[in-house]
Amino acid sequence: MAVTDEAIEKIKEMIVSGALRPGDRLPKESELAAELGLSRNSLREAVRALSLIRILDVRQGDGTYVTSLDPQVLLEAMSFVVDFHRDDTVLEFLAVRRILEPAATAMAAPRITEPELASLDAQLAALGDAPSVEELVLADLEFHRGIVAASGNSVLCSLLDGLSGPTTRARIWRGLTQEDAVGRTLREHRAILAALRDRDAEAARSWATVHIASVEQWLRSTL
């Protein structure tokens, strides 16, 4: 493993230094191994590891390339890791969401466009007043994803997208067991949307905090 770690560090140094840039094709395996003073086997293992976390893209028959290194691409690996959470860590993920998502919602208030507001409004209207829990959870993910995207911060958007996995189950449990959870969620969504429409960043932040905290408070009482 130490040899593979060394190989990973050397490839990382090439990317960080600019010797390899996003979209660049890596030299042939034999050439790169000789250049870095590595065995071909350790280089192969390093490439495999870096492809798993979306730093490199191995294209069969074409070669190995540095990915775009965009936050959305790099943070996809976080989503994979997050899926392995234990049930007792859901609260920790929700706590992180309660820090980040209200901030993103406040950032979106002055930036969100009229078409984006109309799209959010249409999503809520399409749900009706009595959606199933599963329909509501899917709509909830899309609703918040649309708002965070409007914040204009792609890193924040990718982080929150990656954190949504473990909290999805919490929202389903809540919808199945807590009285009026569906109605409460819809009311909170409408309040967030109204604040965004008014360009009121602090009201949007407050309603987003209430929305996440209500799930967190319920889950805390059930664990």
Side-chain angles (χ1 to χ4, degrees):
M1 284 301 298
V3 177
T4 302
D5 289 345
E6 180 188 359
I8 289 171
E9 280 299 316
K10 288 187 175 183
I11 297 173
K12 176 185 172 183
E13 287 172 12
M14 293 182 73
I15 296 172
V16 172
S17 69
L20 285 172
R21 297 182 180 278
D24 281 357
R25 180 177 177 175
L26 270 64
K28 291 181 180 179
E29 184 181 273
S30 56
E31 295 173 3
L32 185 58
E35 180 183 342
L36 298 179
L38 300 168
S39 70
R40 293 179 67 171
N41 186 58
S42 61
L43 176 61
R44 199 173 296 127
E45 290 299 319
V47 168
R48 185 178 293 114
L50 290 170
S51 67
L52 286 173
I53 59 172
R54 305 301 302 276
I55 301 295
L56 298 178
D57 178 20
V58 180
R59 305 175 190 174
Q60 294 298 325
D62 187 21
T64 300
Y65 293 79
V66 181
T67 67
S68 65
L69 302 181
D70 287 339
Q72 186 173 4
V73 172
L74 298 182
L75 289 171
E76 281 179 9
M78 185 185 75
S79 299
F80 180 80
V81 173
V82 162
D83 284 339
F84 289 94
H85 78 288
R86 302 185 312 274
D87 288 347
D88 59 355
T89 61
V90 172
L91 280 169
E92 295 183 13
F93 287 109
L94 279 169
V96 175
R97 273 194 65 210
R98 183 159 47 85
I99 295 167
L100 297 179
E101 197 160 298
T105 305
M107 289 168 62
R111 295 176 172 86
I112 195 165
T113 66
E114 289 300 326
E116 287 171 331
L117 285 168
S119 176
L120 293 174
D121 196 34
Q123 286 179 35
L124 292 181
L127 271 179
D129 294 324
S132 69
V133 174
E134 290 76 14
E135 289 172 335
L136 182 64
V137 168
L138 288 174
D140 184 62
L141 287 167
E142 288 305 312
F143 182 80
H144 291 291
R145 185 177 288 126
I147 292 172
V148 176
S151 74
N153 189 311
S154 61
V155 175
L156 193 53
C157 191
S158 297
L159 277 171
L160 284 166
D161 214 32
L163 289 170
S164 293
T167 58
T168 298
R169 285 174 63 193
R171 285 197 293 268
I172 291 175
W173 296 337
R174 178 181 182 228
L176 290 173
T177 61
Q178 189 180 56
E179 185 178 353
D180 195 37
V182 171
R184 181 173 180 175
T185 298
L186 290 172
R187 289 192 295 273
E188 289 167 354
H189 278 188
R190 291 182 184 119
I192 293 169
L193 182 56
L196 290 172
R197 190 175 286 113
D198 291 340
R199 309 293 175 180
D200 189 334
E202 288 312 307
R205 184 197 305 271
S206 297
W207 276 113
T209 302
V210 166
H211 182 55
I212 298 168
S214 66
V215 179
E216 189 179 354
Q217 183 181 30
W218 167 80
L219 186 58
R220 194 179 299 276
S221 70
T222 64
L223 289 178

